[in-house]
Amino acid sequence: MAGKSKHIVDLASIKSTMSDPYKKPVQVIDENGKIVDKELFDQFSDDQLVDLMEKMVWERALHEQTMNFSRQGRLGFYAPTYGEEASEMGIASAMQKQDYLFPAYRDLPQLIQHGATVEQGFLWSKGHYLANKYHADGVRAMFPQIIIGAQYVQAAGAALGIKKNGEENTVSYAFTGDGGTSQGDFYEGINFASAFQAPAVFFVQNNGYAISVPRHKQTAAETLAQKGVASGVPGVQVDGMDILATYLVAKEAREFASAGNGPVLVETLTYRFGAHSSAGDDPSRYRTKEEEKPWFDRDPLIRLRKVLTEKKLWDQEKEDKLVEQYKSDFKEAMKNAESAPQQKVSDFLKTTFEVPTPNVQRDIEKFEAKESK
């Protein structure tokens, strides 16, 4: 072909601008504790501000005490939440009792805030079947999902059920981390919910790492919020270290989905201060102190604490008393968890189906006979 041909489409330009609508995280207070959007800040009453701070202090204390129990060998698997308090408590505060929750393994705090007990959270870590007893108490939640991203498919199905049942003002929530967006279940879940315009809100807690793999090595997408576009799902990126912004975005996403507008994808920019899990990975092998320091400077508790202290709504004495009370409650919950009855094979079989199949019923009878000896 003679001469230089004209490009029919500017692919380079498209690629360079794909993430533009998602690059500016929503924020109300910045990392220095400065109010950057007073109109949004003024939507919160003093009582609401204090309540959100108390919830973050509660989660931080839960993390610290749970890590102590883990080091003592009194728990099984535990995924630390240190650093993610604003993301998790901001979202949990926007949830309603009638909503369905599909948590990942780092989302025990949201599950407890939604109605499960701390004791049940500890039992889940121990692998005890009584951890799921909150279902009998009317808590609409699944147990934390270990398979990465699988809860997105479950949440999509629940959202369709909500729509088919005609439940009003009800949504289905699912959580995953940045690594979860690289799983097939992530795309299948958001696409299914979008195709049926089902009321689901999908949260991606982007803490920078899928265990030791940094986010930039998982995907070429500049933001994770933009991953909803191909499925027709609106996405938003929020400063996940700012509990006020996280709460408002989660609240608005919930209102949008419950009004019949289909699902929403929310990416919260947060950071995992410690290890991936209590199983023993060492963050110093894949992260540097230089990388970590800016994130520690953005500590969500420090950020809101500055604002409340200036408003004379908070002081260190109040916080210390809360932490002491919370940890005392957690120790009592652990005592109760450790007094749970020893599990039997028949217990697991009885909870496999609501109505046991004939072969499972035979196994139940067989094991009960053995266990009674």
Side-chain angles (χ1 to χ4, degrees), residues 51-357:
D51 178 67
L52 290 171
M53 184 66 193
E54 288 178 347
K55 282 185 170 69
M56 286 200 296
V57 171
W58 171 85
E59 181 172 345
R60 179 71 56 91
L62 177 64
H63 161 78
E64 291 173 351
Q65 191 59 57
T66 304
M67 282 301 293
N68 287 340
F69 291 146
S70 183
R71 294 186 188 102
Q72 294 164 5
R74 300 166 73 182
L75 289 174
F77 178 84
Y78 169 64
T81 62
Y82 181 30
E84 300 187 27
E85 295 87 358
S87 176
E88 297 188 341
M89 290 300 97
I91 296 167
S93 297
M95 293 176 60
Q96 300 293 320
K97 181 177 175 59
Q98 66 270 25
D99 295 333
Y100 290 85
L101 172 61
F102 293 84
Y105 51 72
R106 204 177 304 278
D107 303 315
L108 280 173
Q110 300 97 294
L111 178 60
I112 294 168
Q113 288 291 325
H114 198 48
T117 66
V118 176
E119 177 187 342
Q120 288 163 344
F122 291 152
L123 285 171
W124 178 82
S125 181
K126 287 172 167 289
H128 202 292
Y129 78 98
L130 286 178
N132 303 321
K133 187 176 178 293
Y134 52 81
H135 294 288
D137 300 325
V139 178
R140 290 180 154 185
M142 281 288 283
F143 49 82
Q145 179 60 261
I146 292 293
I147 303 172
I148 306 300
Q151 63 274 26
Y152 265 49
V153 176
Q154 294 172 322
L160 180 58
I162 292 169
K163 181 174 182 177
K164 285 181 136 335
N165 290 336
E167 289 192 59
E168 297 182 355
N169 191 29
T170 304
V171 304
S172 173
Y173 283 95
F175 288 86
T176 194
D178 43 289
T181 68
S182 299
Q183 293 289 109
D185 286 353
F186 167 84
Y187 296 98
E188 291 166 10
I190 63 175
N191 186 67
F192 185 93
S194 181
F196 288 97
Q197 290 293 281
V201 182
F202 299 103
F203 292 98
V204 177
Q205 296 194 103
N206 178 2
N207 65 23
Y209 286 87
I211 306 183
S212 60
V213 180
R215 194 203 71 76
H216 72 269
K217 288 188 176 181
Q218 299 172 43
T219 175
E222 288 192 57
T223 73
L224 303 180
Q226 74 195 72
K227 289 195 171 189
V229 174
S231 297
V233 178
V236 60
Q237 190 183 70
V238 60
D239 181 349
M241 308 298 264
D242 175 0
I243 192 170
L244 304 188
T246 303
Y247 167 77
L248 289 176
V249 167
K251 180 173 179 288
E252 195 151 320
R254 185 191 182 281
E255 290 171 353
F256 182 89
S258 65
N261 298 305
V264 179
L265 178 65
V266 178
E267 175 189 4
T268 68
L269 293 176
T270 183
Y271 199 74
R272 165 169 55 82
F273 285 165
H276 171 74
S277 76
S278 58
D281 78 293
D282 180 5
S284 68
R285 297 182 64 183
Y286 52 85
R287 297 195 313 214
T288 65
K289 294 294 183 184
E290 291 73 25
E291 176 198 322
E292 292 176 339
K293 187 180 184 306
W295 284 101
F296 277 103
D297 292 340
R298 299 169 192 160
D299 187 314
L301 273 70
I302 294 175
R303 189 181 302 199
L304 188 57
R305 188 186 293 128
K306 287 181 179 178
V307 175
L308 298 191
T309 301
E310 288 177 5
K311 289 174 65 68
K312 301 190 184 306
L313 296 173
W314 198 262
D315 57 59
Q316 194 59 49
E317 182 181 0
K318 174 184 176 68
E319 186 168 328
D320 290 343
K321 286 182 178 178
L322 279 174
V323 171
E324 183 179 357
Q325 180 58 57
Y326 291 149
K327 289 190 175 182
S328 175
D329 294 342
F330 301 151
K331 290 174 184 176
E332 185 64 27
M334 176 54 82
K335 287 182 181 178
N336 293 336
E338 290 178 326
S339 66
Q342 186 175 356
Q343 300 182 94
K344 302 187 294 291
V345 174
S346 61
D347 293 326
F348 289 105
L349 292 169
K350 289 175 183 176
T351 56
T352 302
F353 297 99
E354 184 176 5
V355 178
T357 59

